[in-house]
Amino acid sequence: MTLRYAVIADIVGSRTLTNRAEAQKIFEAVLERAAEGLALLETPYATVGDEFQAVAYSLEDALLLTLRAQLLLPPQLQLRFGIGVGRIEEFASGVHRQAPARPRLSEGASLQDGSAWWAARAAINRAHDVQDSSNPFIRTWFVAHASVEPYISATCQTAVNALLSLRDHAILKLSARHRRITASLLLGKTQVEIARVEKLSQQAISDFARGTGAGLIQSSLLIAEAARA
């Protein structure tokens, strides 16, 4: 079975935004940057209402996309993510599009359905429920469709969601500057490049990467390892 990883994102508190049009531009720009260098079948694109969608070839890339996006967004703008694994079916009536050929979020996506999307919808609903009921810091949830249990075990799902909970909590504790620094490190920027942009010393960036930011960066590696298990 060929597995695909569908990602659904929705805007947290979209009805309270004072300038929805400007916020939409920021969300689209952030998602485009978050997708840089990742293996995506569908790069992030806006759908209807306050939602965005994407498709990754691997769980690792789906998780990294959501992490980068959370870090790149300004604190007043937040997204909630549901990641689902399963099958994806494309229909001939849709506009076929490969990620490299699609430079902007506004272009049309292919018409799709399948168990990966059903799982992603269940995942984002679960994230919303957990956020509202007991853990307001939750922003990401992962669900494997029942049909792919031989490939993605329940233990793997539990491990990934446990690490995602810790990751989401750590992100909300970071300052806006520390989010930007962590995002830049995960995007492959050098410490010298980051220091120049942030008007800090290279030593300050190094200290952060080995101190406050180390746990979050390490968690991304642990989640990737769990995803490959």
Side-chain angles (χ1 to χ4, degrees):
M1 178 184 292
T2 300
L3 300 182
R4 294 289 183 260
Y5 298 83
V7 179
I8 298 175
D10 67 9
I11 300 171
V12 177
S14 61
R15 295 181 182 180
T16 65
L17 296 175
T18 55
N19 190 334
R20 181 69 174 77
E22 183 61 29
Q24 185 75 14
K25 293 178 183 178
I26 295 173
F27 284 122
E28 292 188 357
V30 162
L31 287 168
E32 187 170 20
R33 187 178 177 202
E36 289 178 8
L38 301 182
L40 303 178
L41 175 65
E42 298 280 2
T43 53
Y45 57 94
T47 57
V48 295
D50 60 357
E51 282 197 357
F52 304 88
Q53 296 181 357
V55 182
Y57 286 103
S58 70
L59 178 55
E60 182 177 357
D61 281 335
L63 294 170
L64 189 52
L65 172 69
T66 61
L67 173 58
R68 288 176 175 180
Q70 285 179 277
L71 291 168
L72 288 167
L73 283 169
Q76 70 273 20
L77 297 178
Q78 297 181 34
L79 288 171
R80 178 171 38 240
F81 298 94
I83 303 171
V85 56
R87 296 182 62 186
I88 285 182
E89 300 176 22
E90 292 193 1
F91 299 99
S93 57
V95 179
H96 181 69
R97 179 202 65 212
Q98 294 292 333
R102 181 181 170 279
R104 298 187 60 83
L105 293 170
S106 58
E107 295 178 17
S110 54
L111 181 61
Q112 296 179 345
D113 194 11
S115 57
W117 288 116
W118 309 335
R121 180 61 62 188
I124 200 166
N125 289 341
R126 175 61 173 162
H128 203 313
D129 290 343
V130 173
Q131 180 187 343
D132 287 347
S133 62
S134 57
N135 296 305
F137 59 85
I138 290 294
R139 293 293 180 271
T140 322
W141 205 265
F142 169 63
V143 169
H145 190 263
S147 62
V148 303
E149 285 184 357
Y151 308 93
I152 306 291
S153 68
T155 301
C156 175
Q157 292 184 69
T158 300
V160 169
N161 282 317
L163 287 166
L164 284 172
S165 297
L166 294 173
R167 188 184 85 174
D168 288 347
H169 188 264
I171 290 171
L172 287 182
K173 294 293 185 180
L174 291 178
S175 67
R177 167 174 274 179
H178 284 164
R179 288 190 190 190
R180 292 195 305 269
I181 292 172
T182 307
S184 296
L185 289 168
L186 290 170
L187 283 163
K189 301 296 183 182
T190 68
Q191 292 182 5
V192 172
E193 290 172 326
I194 298 169
R196 186 180 302 116
V197 171
E198 294 293 336
K199 296 180 172 57
L200 295 172
S201 68
Q202 185 272 331
Q203 186 60 50
I205 303 300
S206 177
D207 290 345
F208 171 76
R210 291 181 298 175
T212 306
L216 185 54
I217 295 169
Q218 181 64 24
S219 75
S220 70
L221 299 176
L222 289 171
I223 293 174
E225 183 177 342
R228 291 192 295 267

